[in-house]
Every structure is written in structure tokens, then in C-alpha cells.
Amino acid sequence: MDEESLKLSLIHNNSNGNPEEFDGDLPVIKGWRGLLQASGKESKKLWYLAGPAIFTSICQYSLGAITQTFAGHIGDLELAAVSIENSVIAGLSFGIMLGMGSALETLCGQAFGAKQLRMLGVYMQRSWVILLTTACLMTTIYVWSAQILKLIGQEDDIAELAGKFALWMLPQLFAYAMVFPLAKFLQAQSKVMAMAVIAGVALAFHVLFSWLLIFKWGCGLWGAALVLDLSWWIIVLAQLGYILSGTCNEAWGGFSWAAFHNLGAFVRLSLASGVMLCLEVWYLYLLILLAGYLKNPEISVDAISICMNLMGWEMMVSLGFNVAISVRVSNELGAGHPRAAKFAVLIVLVTMFMIGVILMVVIFITRNEFAVAFTSSEVVMKAVSKLATLLAFTMLLNSIQPVFGGVAVGAGWQALVAYINLASYYIFGVPLGCLLGYYFDFGVKGIWAGMISGTTLQTIILCIITYKTKWNREASQAIERIKVWGGSD
């Protein structure tokens, strides 16, 4: 389908044959003033999406972090158990569910842009079917989590308590299966402010009732698990209630048996999305695991953990813009506006590069001081200071790399990016990190440098692919993708 045919198709679909209702693509930009005006408009659209998305990510990220903090006041063993469950067991399920749910970013975003609103609700229900089935399969990991943790070298007492805590956290697993399709459904329609309000209310509930159950009523670890489960289900039920209240108009047409039709293509896209994201998430955790096999592993792991904590907060900002550019690209491609999609990518890259430079400079300036917020050990602070240069460069890289991930999801390139991630991270980055860290004895700096090289390679490849993308063709394929990957209703 050529561009003219695509426009005619969209005119028919979007405006019932009335060409006056067709908005058209991004107008030709003339001169610096035109560029500044267009950039300002696009920045407003991106920040409108990214701001609430960042706040939502921070609130949801804080749920587990606050539970860990309260667990630390119960005892050291409880803190270790919650930390292990939160990062290994819940971290695994979070990555898989978020990744598989991100298939909706492609389909719902492009369907919304193409005015195929009736399909959004069907797509969300199909995603629920797939993710709830996946959650049922993953319950075995929770049931056998103590044995799994012992198998990977965790101490018996920590593994046993973490395994018990994991069983209490099974409701959270099924909340993940519900909440990510809900989130992608709302994000595709730019209803991000409602998500931010719901996340803020859930966080306030979480803090208050964690304090009551743990400090005032002495409920211990099971109380912490109960509040964390309830907090996630508050988010699920509040978002579902918001949708059922009629705020989404044609996008929600009620529960439909069409959710069980044409699942094959949807499963393939969901699996590709899950693999793509999990390969990225596990790559970061692998850095800590590899550091644990070095000489003086305690110092290495503590130093890396402090740096990872800072990167985690930065990732909340990056994920916000990841969501924003995914929505912008998918909406514009679905609407048949290839130049608008390309311009959105350019603006978000410039924005995130500037944020990355600022963070990099801050790390360089405070390289001898920022570790004080996390530790009082002089040895650990010195080790963190030596890693500051790598951390600063990683901050810059991590501000740009998620943008390309958002573009990939918005355009529907998940399967391609999964292969790129596998090659860049695990065939190139990890072996190089092990070679530098163990064979050449550069320690944790060598492991990190090698793994950064893998991320750099992946970013360069995605940059080249994005630069060479024929956006007219992507817009044409968006309409076909809605039919082929999502199936009709």
C-alpha cells in the first residue's frame, strides 16, 4: 500500500468518507522559528505523557522499596528475605508480565491512531487471557522459590523465609497480569493523569497501612505481604473501575468472546515483547551476580548495589519517556502520519540526551560524596568513587537507550530487538565483561565496562535502524499489523 492509498484508507476509516475531517501529517517546517514552534508543541505532548508516567513508575517502584524499608525494622533476616524475593522472584515475574503486556503498546496505540477504537478493549482482554495463563504457569516458581534460591547459592535461612514470603505474594503475581494490560490500554489513549492519581493514592495507602500493621499492630512479615498485595490490587481495581465508569467511550465495549479469537498472532507478539524486555532487565541483575564471584565480593556487591540504586531512579524517568515515545509513535503511525512519528523520535532523543548530560555532570561533581547517602563504610565509599566514571557514562547511555526501546515497541519491532538484545548483551557484552573482570583482573570495573560495551553496541544498532527506517512504509504496515498481529473482532 503506497502513502496515497494509505491516506485514502484512513480517510474512509477515520471520518466515514469525509476528507475534510482528515488532519494530515506534520506540516513542512520552515526556518528556525517554525522548528522551534513545532519542537515546542511536540515537547508539550511528550511531557504531558511522560510526566504522569514518571510519577506512576516512581509510585509503583516505591511500593516494593517501602516494604523492604519496613521489613528492615522487623529484623536483618526479614530484610534479606524481602530483598531477595523482591529482586529475584517478583523481579522475574514483573519483567515477564510487563514485557508481555507491552505488546498492547503496539496494537492499542496503532489502533487508537487509526480510530479503530472498538479493538482496544478486545486487545486488552486478549492480553488478560495470555497473562493470566502465564501467571498460572509461573505459580510453580513461587511454590518452589525456596529450593530455587538455595540452588543458586542463597543461604538456607534466607531462602526459606524468602520462599514463605513469595507464597504470600502470589496475589501480586496475578495483579501484575491484570494491571499491565490495563495500563497499556489507558496509555494508548493518553489517559495517563488518571493512572498517576491512582498510583499516588495506592502509595499513600501502602505507607499508612504498612506502618499500622508492622509498627502498631506487630503483624510482622505477613502483614507487610498483605499490604503489598492489597496495594497492587487497589491499582488494578481503581483502573478497572475508571474504565468501566464510561470514561473510555468506544474503546471499551464490554467483555467479549472475541478476546478468545485469533490468539496465536497475539501470543507471538506478546512473547517477543516479553523476551525483548526480560533480556534487558536480567542483564542489569547479572551485573550484581557476576560481581559476587570476585575477590572481596561484599565490597564489590555493595558498591555495585549503590550505583544500581541510582540507576534505578534514573530508569523511572527513562521509562516515562519510553512510554511517551511509544504512545506517540504508535498513535502517529496508526493515524498514517509518518513524518510526525519521525519528528517525535527526534525531539525525545534531544530531550533525553540533555537530561543524560545533566545527570552525568552531577555524578562527576559528587563522585566522592554521593555514596554517603547509602553507607558509612569508608571502603565501600572509596570503591563507589572509583566506579563514578562508569556510572556517569551509564547514566548518559541509559537516558538514550530506553528511547529506542519505546520506538521499537511503538513501531512493532519487538522480535527484531529481541535478537539484537541477545547478540549485543549475552553474546558480546557478558563474555567481554567476564574476560575483563576475571581474566585480565580488572575486577568489577572490568565486568561493568564489558557490559556497558554491550549496551552501547545495542544502542548504536537501534540508532542505525531508526535512522534508516522508511516511516511511510511503517505507517502502511501499522494498518496491516492491527489485522495480522491482533486479529479482527
Side-chain angles (χ1 to χ4, degrees):
M1 182 184 291
D2 59 22
E3 186 175 0
E4 190 60 32
S5 300
L6 173 65
K7 287 184 178 180
L8 290 172
S9 171
L10 288 169
I11 289 170
H12 176 74
N13 290 334
N14 297 358
S15 57
N16 297 319
N18 185 359
E20 281 75 17
E21 294 183 23
F22 181 68
D23 292 331
D25 203 347
L26 182 76
V28 176
I29 298 172
K30 296 181 180 180
W32 285 103
R33 181 175 295 180
L35 178 60
L36 289 174
Q37 288 177 346
S39 299
K41 288 180 181 178
E42 183 59 40
S43 292
K44 285 181 182 178
K45 293 177 183 177
L46 287 167
W47 278 103
Y48 174 79
L49 292 166
I54 291 168
F55 179 77
T56 302
S57 296
I58 289 173
C59 288
Q60 293 180 354
Y61 178 79
S62 299
L63 295 178
I66 288 170
T67 298
Q68 284 184 220
T69 302
F70 277 105
H73 292 281
I74 301 173
D76 291 341
L77 178 61
E78 286 78 5
L79 174 60
V82 172
S83 299
I84 289 295
E85 192 281 335
N86 207 22
S87 60
V88 179
I89 307 300
L92 173 68
S93 60
F94 183 92
I96 291 173
M97 293 297 176
L98 176 60
M100 294 184 70
S102 69
L104 283 188
E105 288 188 49
T106 305
L107 292 169
C108 281
Q110 293 183 358
F112 183 79
K115 307 299 183 187
Q116 300 287 333
L117 298 184
R118 68 190 184 282
M119 290 305 300
L120 270 67
V122 176
Y123 289 155
M124 180 171 66
Q125 292 172 67
R126 284 181 186 155
S127 189
W128 278 338
V129 171
I130 294 167
L131 265 64
L132 287 170
T133 302
T134 304
C136 290
L137 296 174
M138 289 188 66
T139 55
T140 54
I141 296 175
Y142 281 68
V143 171
W144 296 98
S145 56
Q147 288 76 11
I148 292 170
L149 291 171
K150 290 177 185 177
L151 190 64
I152 62 175
Q154 192 55 246
E155 293 179 14
D156 286 358
D157 53 348
I158 296 176
E160 288 292 341
L161 189 56
K164 184 184 292 186
F165 189 74
L167 288 175
W168 292 335
M169 294 311 301
L170 273 170
Q172 183 192 53
L173 170 64
F174 288 90
Y176 286 163
M178 292 292 293
V179 79
F180 293 127
L182 284 165
K184 304 310 177 185
F185 173 84
L186 292 170
Q187 286 168 5
Q189 303 168 73
S190 299
K191 296 184 181 296
V192 288
M193 196 60 70
M195 293 174 59
V197 172
I198 291 169
V201 171
L203 180 61
F205 166 89
H206 186 75
V207 173
L208 175 61
F209 279 86
S210 291
W211 176 75
L212 283 174
L213 265 72
I214 295 172
F215 284 165
K216 287 295 182 181
W217 301 338
C219 295
L221 209 56
W222 76 264
L226 175 64
V227 176
L228 187 53
D229 286 332
L230 285 175
S231 298
W232 275 102
W233 274 100
I234 284 172
I235 295 174
V236 171
L237 295 175
Q239 289 185 359
L240 186 59
Y242 177 78
I243 292 169
L244 296 179
S245 67
T247 54
C248 297
N249 301 321
E250 296 177 49
W252 175 254
F255 294 99
S256 170
W257 287 108
F260 296 93
H261 300 163
N262 302 306
L263 283 173
F266 209 112
V267 168
R268 289 196 296 273
L269 184 59
S270 297
L271 288 174
S273 300
V275 171
M276 172 188 136
L277 189 71
C278 286
L279 288 174
E280 292 191 9
V281 173
W282 295 339
Y283 193 57
L284 294 175
Y285 287 124
L286 195 58
L287 179 57
I288 295 180
L289 181 64
L290 292 174
Y293 296 110
L294 292 167
K295 301 170 186 174
N296 300 320
E298 271 190 46
I299 304 299
S300 299
V301 171
D302 285 349
I304 283 286
S305 297
I306 289 172
C307 294
M308 290 281 286
N309 195 302
L310 290 174
M311 287 191 287
W313 289 107
E314 186 212 15
M315 284 303 293
M316 297 303 102
V317 178
S318 299
L319 283 175
F321 278 94
N322 175 287
V323 168
I325 191 58
S326 175
V327 171
R328 291 292 298 126
V329 167
S330 60
N331 283 177
E332 296 295 354
L333 290 180
H337 301 160
R339 287 191 294 124
K342 184 177 180 180
F343 189 69
V345 173
L346 177 63
I347 296 302
V348 79
L349 279 173
V350 171
T351 302
M352 287 307 296
F353 178 77
M354 291 169 64
I355 291 173
V357 169
I358 292 169
L359 292 173
M360 183 173 67
V361 171
V362 169
I363 293 297
F364 272 128
I365 293 173
T366 62
R367 61 185 177 277
N368 296 319
E369 290 85 24
F370 68 79
V372 176
F374 302 92
T375 182
S376 57
S377 169
E378 291 288 338
V379 178
V380 175
M381 282 192 280
K382 198 171 291 184
V384 171
S385 179
K386 290 178 180 177
L387 294 173
T389 301
L390 285 170
L391 176 61
F393 181 73
T394 305
M395 286 286 200
L396 177 62
L397 194 62
N398 282 350
S399 66
I400 300 170
Q401 187 268 344
V403 172
F404 290 111
V407 174
V409 171
W413 302 338
Q414 288 94 325
L416 172 63
V417 177
Y419 286 117
I420 293 171
N421 287 351
L422 180 63
S424 301
Y425 293 159
Y426 297 92
I427 297 177
F428 178 74
V430 171
L432 180 60
C434 291
L435 190 66
L436 294 173
Y438 300 126
Y439 185 78
F440 290 104
D441 205 24
F442 286 117
V444 68
K445 291 178 72 173
I447 295 174
W448 196 347
M451 296 183 75
I452 285 178
S453 300
T455 307
T456 304
L457 177 62
Q458 184 247 26
T459 304
I460 291 171
I461 293 171
L462 289 181
C463 182
I464 293 170
I465 290 172
T466 304
Y467 177 75
K468 292 190 172 184
T469 294
K470 305 295 183 184
W471 291 99
N472 290 339
R473 184 177 61 190
E474 291 296 325
S476 300
Q477 290 177 345
I479 304 301
E480 294 302 318
R481 184 178 291 112
I482 292 171
K483 298 174 182 176
V484 175
W485 286 91
S488 63
D489 59 349

